[in-house]
Amino acid sequence: MSNELATILSNAAALVQHGLDEDTAAVAGGLGTKRISIAGGTFRMMVNGKEQASIEDRFMNIVFVKMAHDPSRTFYAESYKEGQKVSPACWSNDSKTPSPDVKNPVSDTCQGCANAIKGSGQGGIGTACRLSWRTAVVLPQQLDGPVYQLVLPATSSFGEEDNGRWPFRPYVQMLASHNVSAGAVVTKMQFDTKAKVPRVLFSPAGAVSADDMDVIRRQGKTPAAEGAVKLTVYQVDEGEPEPEPVKRESTKRSEAGAATDGSASDLVKKWAKKSA
């Protein structure tokens, strides 16, 4: 921190209480992008793409503060390569039509695209154009703490009820049918142990107190929440060469403590407080 800024803050400490506005956060970029990953069938807490903590529990409790109104889609003409940034050939913010930023759309509509047909994926599994649903969540033990991005693949977004557990959209529909908003409940997110690929299902675990609903609404309006539900893609400018493959730094996997309150491990709580 510069001496000038330190002096300003010492005389106007309230400046930091308002946090970053959307423009400042967007231009600064990557100052603390936090997300929950389900890769490898483990809940991982990530900051700017690097793993900070993981838990061995097969479930964790969350509270949704914001969610995209529609799923999004991304299609890569080239297969994924470890550590290499590749621009998608086509993408959609609403899974209905390609984004206006796509220079050469594969199809005029997602519904009529061959890459969105089941079985078009690698090895005839899934679809070549991947569908996902972007959400923003907080931990129930720290409602006013960090906002995490949670991106759910199609397998976790759609499907049938399974013994009182639902994929994301059916879960929200179930809540809505009872006139309950998703942000008004503590949601239990747990891995489907029968699935061959990482898949999570959801169920209600408790109620958010009426006194905390203002916090949930405020969290849903933060730049972190707004950014979490927006699809942003890496694009190469015309004339800019594709970047060379970069060897990804290895990250040491953190050991997880045992859960004490049924919502997440002690390690996640400590990490969340440290990152707040």
Side-chain angles (χ1 to χ4, degrees), residues 114-168:
N115 293 315
I117 298 176
K118 189 175 182 178
S120 60
Q122 188 174 10
I125 300 175
T127 60
C129 185
R130 295 185 177 181
L131 184 150
S132 58
W133 213 306
R134 284 164 164 72
T135 71
V137 305
V138 294
L139 301 181
Q141 65 270 24
Q142 198 176 21
L143 296 177
D144 59 349
V147 174
Y148 300 93
Q149 181 187 59
L150 174 64
V151 180
L152 301 167
T155 52
S156 298
S157 301
F158 302 97
E160 302 295 328
E161 176 191 357
D162 181 7
N163 294 320
R165 305 176 306 166
W166 293 261
F168 173 68

Side-chain angles (χ1 to χ4, degrees), residues 30-36 44-53 148 271 275:
L31 292 179
T33 303
K34 301 177 178 66
R35 66 186 180 90
I36 297 174
R44 306 175 191 275
M45 317 300 284
M46 314 289 290
V47 175
N48 296 331
K50 294 184 178 181
E51 182 179 328
Q52 300 296 312
Y148 300 93
W271 180 83
S275 303

Side-chain angles (χ1 to χ4, degrees), residues 32-114:
T33 303
K34 301 177 178 66
R35 66 186 180 90
I36 297 174
S37 169
I38 63 172
T42 300
F43 293 119
R44 306 175 191 275
M45 317 300 284
M46 314 289 290
V47 175
N48 296 331
K50 294 184 178 181
E51 182 179 328
Q52 300 296 312
S54 63
I55 61 175
E56 296 299 332
D57 300 303
R58 306 306 295 164
F59 70 93
M60 69 179 298
N61 286 359
I62 56 174
V63 178
F64 289 104
V65 297
K66 194 170 184 62
M67 54 190 72
H69 292 182
D70 299 288
S72 55
R73 285 186 175 277
T74 50
F75 169 68
Y76 291 87
E78 301 177 16
S79 58
Y80 172 75
K81 296 179 182 178
E82 181 72 20
Q84 184 174 1
K85 273 188 170 182
V86 180
S87 299
C90 191
W91 63 94
S92 171
N93 299 290
D94 59 9
S95 71
K96 297 174 184 176
T97 57
S99 167
D101 295 328
V102 178
K103 297 177 181 178
N104 298 299
V106 178
S107 173
D108 291 335
T109 65
C110 296
Q111 186 175 4
C113 182

